C-alpha cells in the first residue's frame, strides 16, 4: 500500500485550529465523497478521457484522508495514480490543485452548505458566493488589468482545430492576455498552451491559466497540465457565472452541446435589456474548414433567438491575429465602461444575471420533458430554457448521474414547439455528424430524443 502525505499549500496553509476541526468534521459527509472523486480526477491531470467509469476503474483502492497538524491540515493519499508522480515525487501542479479542491469543496462547501437547503438561493447571495469563492482562490488578484479572456470550446476537436486554438492563444499571449477555460482537454487546453509560448516570448512571467470546473464535469474532464489556477464551483450555473463575471472578453471555438450551452447562457444574459449598454466582446472562431460548424450555430441562433442575439457576437474564421486585435479593441471599451460605471475591473458586478440563470437545473426525465421550449416567452427566457435542455444532454453524455439515468430509463425526451424542435434536432445532428459529442474514436449513442 502506497501512502503519501502532502503539506498544505496556498491559502489552505493558513487555517485556524477551528477551521481545521471543521474540515475534519466534513470527512464523514457527502461532500467528502465529492472531494475524493474530484481529487482522483486531479491526480489524473493531463489524461484525455471523458468517461468517468473508465477513468476511475483502475483506482478502486484509492483513498484520501485529512491529517490534522498543529500548523494546519495535511492530505494523505492512499494508492494514488502513478501518472501524478515523477520519480516518486508528486508533480507540484497536482499538489497545488489538490489543495484547491480541498479549499473549494470542503472549506467553501461547508461554509455555504452546498448540498443542503441552506445553500444560497437568492440571486444577490449567489453572486456574493461566486465572488467569495473567486476571492478565496485569489483569482481576482491581478485581474484588474482588463486582460482575462475566457475561451470556450469542445473537448472533442480534431487536430486542425486544436492547432488553431493554440495559435489564437499564442496571439493573445503575445498581447499579454491571460486565459481562462473549463480546464479540460481540446479547446480548453490549446489556448493555454499557445498563450504560454506567447508569454514566454514577451518575457511575461505572471501568465495566468485559470481553469474553472465543477464536480460532475471534472470527473469526466480532468484538468490539463497547463492550468496553474484551479477553481471548482459547486454546479454548472455557478461555474458559468464565475466565467462571465471574471471575463473581460470571450472566445468560442468549435465544440459540441456543452459549448452551445455556454453560448446560450451568455446570449440569454446579454439580451437582457439591463445589459444593453454593457460592452462584452464575444468572438466565435475556428480554422478554415470549420465554416459548417459556425453556419449551423449561427443559423440556429437566428431561427431561435433572432437577429438581436446574432449582434452580440462576431464570427472570424482562420485569422488568429484578427481575433486578438478585435479583442484588444473590445477590451478598451470594457475598460472605459467599467471606469465610467465605477465597477470593479476584476469582477463584473454590473452585469445583470436573472435568477433563472443562477438556479441549479437538475436534469431528470421529468425536468427535461417539462421545459418550456416555444416562442411564447421572452428571447432571454427561451435562451435559458434551451440552455437547460443542452445542459441535460451534457449530463447524459459525460456526467455520472446523467449516464446512470439514461441507462436506467432510456434517453431524455425533449419536447416543444414543432418548428423549434426541428432547429434543435438539426443542430444536434450536426454535432453528431461532426463527431463533437465524445472524444475522437468513441462511438456515440444519443442520450436524447427530440420530439
Amino acid at each position: 500500500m502506497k501512502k503519501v502525505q502532502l503539506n498544505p499549500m496556498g491559502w489552505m496553509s493558513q487555517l485556524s485550529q477551528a477551521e481545521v476541526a471543521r474540515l475534519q468534521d466534513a470527512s464523514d459527509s457527502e461532500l467528502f465523497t465529492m472531494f475524493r472523486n474530484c481529487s482522483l480526477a486531479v491526480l489524473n491531470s493531463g489524461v484525455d478521457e471523458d468517461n468517468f467509469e473508465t477513468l476511475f476503474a483502475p483506482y478502486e483502492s484509492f483513498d484520501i484522508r485529512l491529517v490534522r497538524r498543529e500548523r494546519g491540515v495535511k492530505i494523505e493519499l492512499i494508492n494514488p495514480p502513478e501518472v501524478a508522480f515523477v520519480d516518486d515525487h508528486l508533480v507540484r501542479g497536482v499538489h497545488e490543485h489538490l489543495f484547491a479542491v480541498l479549499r473549494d469543496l470542503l472549506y467553501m462547501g461547508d461554509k455555504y452548505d452546498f448540498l443542503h437547503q441552506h445553500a444560497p438561493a437568492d440571486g444577490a447571495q449567489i453572486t456574493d458566493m461566486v465572488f467569495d469563492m473567486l476571492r478565496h482562490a485569489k483569482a481576482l488578484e491581478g485581474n484588474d488589468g482588463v486582460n482575462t479572456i475566457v475561451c470556450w470550446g469542445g473537448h472533442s476537436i480534431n487536430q486542425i482545430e486544436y492547432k488553431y486554438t493554440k495559435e489564437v492563444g499564442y496571439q493573445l499571449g503575445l498581447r499579454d492576455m491571460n486565459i481562462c477555460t473549463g480546464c479540460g482537454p481540446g479547446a480548453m487546453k490549446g489556448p493555454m498552451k499557445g498563450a504560454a509560448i506567447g508569454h514566454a516570448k514577451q518575457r511575461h512571467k505572471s501568465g495566468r491559466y485559470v481553469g474553472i470546473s465543477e464536480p460532475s464535469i471534472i470527473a469526466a474532464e480532468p484538468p490539463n497540465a497547463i492550468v496553474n489556477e484551479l477553481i471548482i464551483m459547486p454546479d454548472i450555473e455557478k461555474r458559468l457565472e464565475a466565467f462571465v463575471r471574471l471575463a473581460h472578453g470571450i472566445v468560442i471555438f468549435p465544440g459540441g452541446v456543452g459549448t452551445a450551452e455556454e453560448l446560450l447562457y451568455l446570449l440569454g444574459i446579454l439580451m437582457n435589456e439591463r445589459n444593453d449598454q454593457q460592452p462584452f466582446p464575444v468572438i466565435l472562431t475556428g480554422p478554415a474548414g470549420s465554416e459548417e460548424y459556425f453556419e449551423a450555430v449561427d443559423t440556429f441562433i437566428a431561427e431561435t433567438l433572432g437577429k438581436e442575439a446574432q449582434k452580440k457576437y462576431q464570427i472570424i474564421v482562420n485569422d488568429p491575429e484578427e481575433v486578438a486585435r478585435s479583442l484588444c479593441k473590445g477590451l478598451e471599451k470594457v475598460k472605459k465602461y467599467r471606469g465610467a460605471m465605477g465597477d470593479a475591473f476584476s469582477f463584473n458586478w454590473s452585469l445583470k444575471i436573472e435568477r433563472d440563470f443562477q438556479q441549479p437545473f437538475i436534469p431528470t426525465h421529468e425536468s427535461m420533458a417539462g421545459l418550456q421550449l416555444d416562442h411564447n416567452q421572452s428571447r432571454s427566457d427561451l435562451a435559458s430554457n434551451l440552455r437547460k435542455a443542452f445542459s441535460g444532454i451534457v449530463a447524459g453524455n459525460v456526467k455520472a448521474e446523467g449516464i446512470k439515468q439514461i441507462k436506467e430509463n432510456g434517453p431524455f425526451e425533449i419536447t416543444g414547439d414543432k418548428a423549434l424542435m426541428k432547429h434543435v434536432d438539426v443542430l444536434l445532428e450536426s454535432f453528431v455528424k461532426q463527431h463533437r459529442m465524445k472524444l475522437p474514436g468513441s462511438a456515440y449513442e444519443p442520450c436524447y430524443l427530440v420530439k
Side-chain angles (χ1 to χ4, degrees):
M1 179 183 293
K2 182 175 181 177
K3 291 186 178 181
V4 179
Q5 286 196 358
L6 308 176
N7 289 319
M9 299 186 74
W11 183 81
M12 296 305 291
S13 63
Q14 301 173 334
L15 298 180
S16 69
Q17 288 298 299
E19 288 171 324
V20 172
R22 291 189 68 176
L23 281 177
Q24 283 200 306
D25 289 342
S27 296
D28 296 323
S29 69
E30 190 179 345
L31 270 175
F32 197 83
T33 300
M34 188 185 294
F35 166 64
R36 176 198 177 276
N37 291 341
C38 289
S39 296
L40 183 53
V42 163
L43 286 161
N44 278 281
S45 291
V47 176
D48 288 345
E49 181 55 68
D50 66 352
N51 185 309
F52 77 98
E53 292 179 333
T54 303
L55 184 69
F56 288 172
Y59 308 112
E60 291 183 359
S61 63
F62 168 76
D63 203 357
I64 188 167
R65 297 171 184 165
L66 300 184
V67 181
R68 184 169 183 168
R69 292 289 183 265
E70 286 303 315
R71 62 191 187 96
V73 62
K74 287 187 174 184
I75 288 177
E76 183 176 66
L77 304 175
I78 300 170
N79 295 328
E82 287 299 326
V83 70
F85 293 80
V86 175
D87 297 335
D88 289 328
H89 294 283
L90 186 68
V91 173
R92 182 176 175 84
V94 174
H95 189 154
E96 292 176 355
H97 289 349
L98 287 170
F99 279 93
V101 177
L102 178 63
R103 175 198 68 217
D104 293 337
L105 292 188
L106 287 193
Y107 183 87
M108 301 303 288
D110 176 71
K111 179 177 180 179
Y112 286 105
D113 203 13
F114 284 170
L115 301 180
H116 302 95
Q117 71 262 24
H118 300 299
D122 175 76
Q125 290 178 338
I126 290 173
T127 297
D128 285 344
M129 185 189 76
V130 170
F131 172 81
D132 193 31
M133 291 190 69
L134 293 176
R135 179 175 58 181
H136 272 84
K138 297 187 176 180
L140 303 180
E141 294 183 11
N143 199 45
D144 53 2
V146 192
N147 62 346
T148 295
I149 305 301
V150 166
C151 296
W152 288 336
H155 70 295
S156 176
I157 58 175
N158 60 46
Q159 281 302 307
I160 294 174
E161 290 171 341
Y162 177 68
K163 185 177 180 181
Y164 183 81
T165 68
K166 286 200 297 183
E167 183 59 31
V168 171
Y170 172 68
Q171 293 297 331
L172 297 178
L174 287 175
R175 292 161 176 83
D176 290 345
M177 296 186 203
N178 294 315
I179 306 296
C180 175
T181 77
C183 92
M188 292 169 274
K189 178 181 178 181
M192 290 183 169
K193 203 165 187 179
I197 298 171
H199 289 158
K201 289 189 73 171
Q202 292 285 24
R203 302 300 188 264
H204 180 64
K205 300 183 184 303
S206 55
R208 303 180 67 202
Y209 316 104
V210 183
I212 304 179
S213 192
E214 53 105 352
S216 55
I217 283 289
I218 196 172
E221 298 174 0
N224 69 67
I226 315 299
V227 174
N228 63 3
E229 297 179 44
L230 178 65
I231 305 166
I232 313 292
M233 302 304 291
D235 53 55
I236 187 65
E237 287 76 15
K238 312 299 187 300
R239 181 195 192 200
L240 289 169
E241 180 164 353
F243 276 133
V244 299
R245 295 215 187 263
L246 197 65
H248 300 114
I250 292 183
V251 173
I252 302 177
F253 297 104
V257 67
T259 304
E261 175 189 3
E262 292 164 337
L263 176 59
L264 286 165
Y265 174 89
L266 179 61
L267 292 178
I269 291 171
L270 296 182
M271 291 173 69
N272 185 319
E273 60 181 15
R274 295 177 64 177
N275 295 322
D276 278 347
Q277 304 304 313
Q278 181 93 218
F280 206 115
V282 181
I283 297 176
L284 279 61
T285 189
S290 62
E291 291 88 350
E292 182 182 0
Y293 171 81
F294 292 114
E295 286 173 7
V297 171
D298 194 43
T299 299
F300 175 77
I301 295 301
E303 297 292 346
T304 57
L305 302 181
K307 292 183 178 180
E308 286 303 311
Q310 289 178 293
K311 293 178 182 178
K312 302 299 182 182
Y313 58 83
Q314 62 181 122
I315 298 174
I316 299 174
V317 175
N318 203 38
D319 196 341
E321 289 189 40
E322 180 59 25
V323 171
R325 285 193 292 262
S326 294
L327 281 170
C328 285
K329 294 176 184 176
L331 295 185
E332 285 300 316
K333 295 178 181 179
V334 171
K335 190 173 184 178
K336 184 177 180 181
Y337 178 82
R338 298 271 188 100
M341 291 288 293
D343 198 0
F345 291 130
S346 60
F347 187 85
N348 193 341
W349 288 103
S350 61
L351 190 70
K352 176 62 179 175
I353 301 180
E354 297 291 351
R355 191 170 184 269
D356 193 48
F357 287 87
Q358 297 178 303
Q359 292 301 305
F361 173 69
I362 310 299
T364 65
H365 286 76
E366 292 74 22
S367 64
M368 288 288 284
L371 289 173
Q372 183 184 352
L373 298 174
D374 58 47
H375 289 289
N376 297 320
Q377 56 189 314
S378 71
R379 295 298 173 92
S380 179
D381 288 343
L382 177 56
S384 176
N385 284 316
L386 285 169
R387 196 282 301 178
K388 292 174 184 176
F390 284 26
S391 186
I393 296 174
V394 172
N397 282 348
V398 300
K399 296 184 180 181
E401 61 273 23
I403 292 172
K404 181 181 178 182
Q405 288 188 71
I406 301 302
K407 284 183 177 179
E408 292 177 352
N409 303 305
F412 291 132
E413 291 188 0
I414 305 173
T415 61
D417 176 81
K418 188 174 180 180
L420 184 61
M421 289 303 94
K422 182 178 180 181
H423 297 309
V424 170
D425 199 29
V426 168
L427 182 65
L428 293 175
E429 185 58 35
S430 73
F431 292 160
V432 174
K433 180 182 176 182
Q434 296 171 34
H435 307 288
R436 299 190 182 280
M437 291 294 201
K438 297 285 283 183
L439 284 172
S442 303
Y444 180 65
E445 182 71 27
C447 66
Y448 61 89
L449 181 63
V450 179
K451 300 181 72 174

